[in-house]
Amino acid sequence: MRFPKRMVFFLVMMLLLAGCGQTQNTEAEQEQAEEIQVDLKKETIKGILTDMTTEEKIGQMLMMDFRKNPDGTGMTVLSEDVKKKIAQYHLGGVILFAENLDTAAQTKQLTSDMQQAAEIPLLIGIDEEGGVVSRLNQSQIPHVIVPQAAQMQGDLTQAAQAGRQIGTVLSDLGINMDFAPVVDVYTNAQNTVIGTRAYGTEPDVVGDMGAAFANALEDAGVQAVAKHFPGHGDTVTDSHDGMAVSNHDLERLRMVEFPPFQRLVDEGLRVVMVGHITLPQIATDGLPATLSKEAMDLLREDLQFDGVAITDAMNMGAIVEYYSVKEATIKAVQAGIDMILMPADLEEAYTALCQAVQDGTISQSRLDESVQRILNIKYENGLL
């Protein structure tokens, strides 16, 4: 683990300020302490980033799943092969599935061993929305069964309680990121992939519920991830199987699909999942949002989001049926994506990015932009 030398100075200053007598700090002292904390964060991230190789930076932009052992059993104990891959590819994160979970003690050991294998601490994520999308429900880990989002019927207390209950369990297990809440507005009865996973049909209700869940989740120590930008609530095709299409103009998106995301961004949410959703009336490139700079510009400029943008799983049908691993990975980064989730082939994705940086297809500054964002949320979540 690398740390800048000047960190020592900032740590000492923070300790001195914290210990200025036993009386309450003055407003000026509090402001000075806050400024030092901001400087400490900047120096920590700058020092790590400066000291990283190109390969290490690329690895930080990849989050991989390791569900099964070669014999088909669930990987509940860190294998030597996966341990090697975490280090070899300098992975920024790992996502867990039901196959990785058995008991609480086993999961804690697994996440601890994964962190030990990484030089820079990992984002360890999971899809734990409650309801139909729950990995915990398929394990022996003690937890409260959380109802479907739709069943909460706009009750903010239930949403906050769900976020708190899920966050408390995940944090104790060593899982620091949850791919929830779903803030898609459910406006199409033919939509089978979102359905009861959505909080409702009204943007304000969805935004309020999503914010209540996310805030409680993060208060429990787990990074929330809003999904699936630019909105999966009025699509027919399930992007797991093929290309999902949102046939709306920008005015409609700004009225219905965007407000829940905007609500969470305004409240400080630092991670958004981008879906494999095409916007034929808006993006002229014909690409799914995960690969489209035009779509990503809406997230960065329309919503003023400067946090980490992570793809939906890149091994889904919407991607693998139309693009090679190399093409999809490079296009995603060129579009403005920060993290590639579950590339269909880890080695191909990693090699593609290495080659793209080497030949100038992707610039070092573009790489640094994403890695800085990733290190930023790792710092904010206490991982650095």
Side-chain angles (χ1 to χ4, degrees):
M1 188 66 213
R2 303 178 176 94
F3 293 100
K5 295 176 182 177
R6 290 179 62 189
M7 181 189 289
V8 176
F9 165 77
F10 289 110
L11 285 171
V12 170
M13 289 299 295
M14 288 178 69
L15 288 170
L16 287 173
L17 284 170
C20 285
Q22 299 302 313
T23 58
Q24 186 175 4
N25 286 347
T26 66
E27 185 175 338
E29 287 172 337
Q30 290 175 354
E31 289 179 0
Q32 189 176 3
E34 289 173 3
E35 289 175 3
I36 288 175
Q37 288 178 18
V38 170
D39 287 341
L40 173 60
K41 174 181 173 181
K42 289 180 179 178
E43 287 295 319
T44 301
I45 293 172
K46 180 181 177 182
I48 296 172
L49 187 63
T50 301
D51 211 18
M52 292 173 75
T53 65
T54 296
E55 291 76 16
E56 288 171 331
K57 293 174 183 178
I58 287 168
Q60 285 300 295
M61 297 174 69
L62 300 171
M63 178 178 276
M64 197 63 190
D65 64 319
F66 300 105
R67 301 195 199 192
K68 295 183 178 181
N69 295 310
D71 63 1
T73 58
M75 196 203 73
T76 54
V77 176
L78 185 65
S79 68
E80 285 301 316
D81 177 60
V82 172
K83 180 179 179 181
K84 180 180 177 181
K85 285 178 178 175
I86 290 173
Q88 176 183 351
Y89 295 108
H90 317 288
L91 293 184
V94 173
I95 179 172
L96 302 183
F97 284 85
E99 294 92 333
N100 303 120
L101 310 181
D102 184 12
T103 66
Q106 164 271 320
T107 305
K108 289 179 189 179
Q109 188 63 56
L110 177 62
T111 57
S112 175
D113 290 344
M114 286 179 165
Q115 292 290 16
Q116 288 295 318
E119 184 175 6
I120 294 177
L122 297 162
L123 292 169
I124 299 182
I126 196 168
D127 285 306
E128 189 61 37
E129 302 169 10
V132 68
V133 179
S134 171
R135 314 308 180 197
L136 293 176
N137 288 356
Q138 302 172 61
S139 74
Q140 300 182 57
I141 298 168
H143 66 287
V144 176
I145 303 297
V146 172
Q148 293 276 71
Q151 293 174 340
M152 296 182 190
Q153 298 183 327
D155 186 337
L156 298 180
T157 300
Q158 281 196 63
Q161 185 177 46
R164 184 165 52 252
Q165 290 168 338
I166 289 172
T168 300
V169 174
L170 296 184
S171 181
D172 183 59
L173 295 172
I175 298 169
N176 51 47
M177 174 177 279
D178 186 12
F179 291 103
V182 171
V183 291
D184 300 309
V185 183
Y186 182 52
T187 57
N188 188 334
Q190 293 180 293
N191 185 325
T192 58
V193 67
I194 299 301
T196 55
R197 295 166 64 193
Y199 287 111
T201 60
E202 298 297 324
D204 288 347
V205 172
V206 173
D208 289 344
M209 293 289 283
F213 179 98
N215 290 334
L217 185 75
E218 294 188 350
D219 285 345
V222 177
Q223 176 66 58
V225 181
K227 61 186 186 184
H228 310 78
F229 183 85
H232 215 328
D234 191 12
T235 60
V236 176
T237 304
D238 181 345
S239 51
H240 289 85
D241 304 320
M243 194 68 70
V245 180
S246 178
N247 270 309
H248 295 300
D249 59 20
L250 189 54
E251 182 180 0
R252 149 71 190 228
L253 292 179
R254 285 173 172 165
M255 288 178 59
V256 179
E257 277 75 18
F258 288 180
F261 289 98
Q262 188 70 71
R263 167 70 186 276
L264 270 69
V265 169
D266 289 346
E267 291 204 9
L269 187 78
R270 304 300 298 158
V271 188
V272 168
M273 175 180 280
V274 181
H276 308 310
I277 302 161
T278 57
L279 302 169
Q281 293 200 43
I282 299 171
T284 59
D285 53 25
L287 298 169
T290 37
L291 313 185
S292 170
K293 189 175 187 308
E294 292 176 74
M296 286 299 300
D297 283 348
L298 293 175
L299 178 61
R300 297 296 187 194
E301 297 172 10
D302 236 56
L303 275 66
Q304 294 292 295
F305 178 68
D306 64 352
V308 171
I310 186 168
T311 67
D312 205 341
M314 294 289 274
N315 60 4
M316 291 163 62
I319 297 298
V320 296
E321 290 183 13
Y322 302 93
Y323 309 95
S324 68
V325 173
K326 177 180 179 179
E327 183 181 16
T329 303
I330 292 173
K331 281 185 177 297
V333 175
Q334 288 177 321
I337 288 289
D338 301 305
M339 292 195 81
I340 307 294
L341 177 65
M342 295 165 58
D345 187 291
L346 174 58
E347 183 179 3
E348 283 187 42
Y350 177 81
T351 302
L353 289 179
C354 287
Q355 291 175 343
V357 174
Q358 187 175 16
D359 65 23
T361 302
I362 295 173
S363 67
Q364 279 285 348
S365 61
R366 173 68 195 86
L367 209 61
D368 288 351
E369 179 184 2
S370 285
V371 178
Q372 185 163 348
R373 291 188 183 122
I374 294 164
L375 293 176
N376 189 56
I377 64 164
K378 288 188 174 186
Y379 185 96
E380 291 177 352
N381 281 278
L383 297 177
L384 300 183

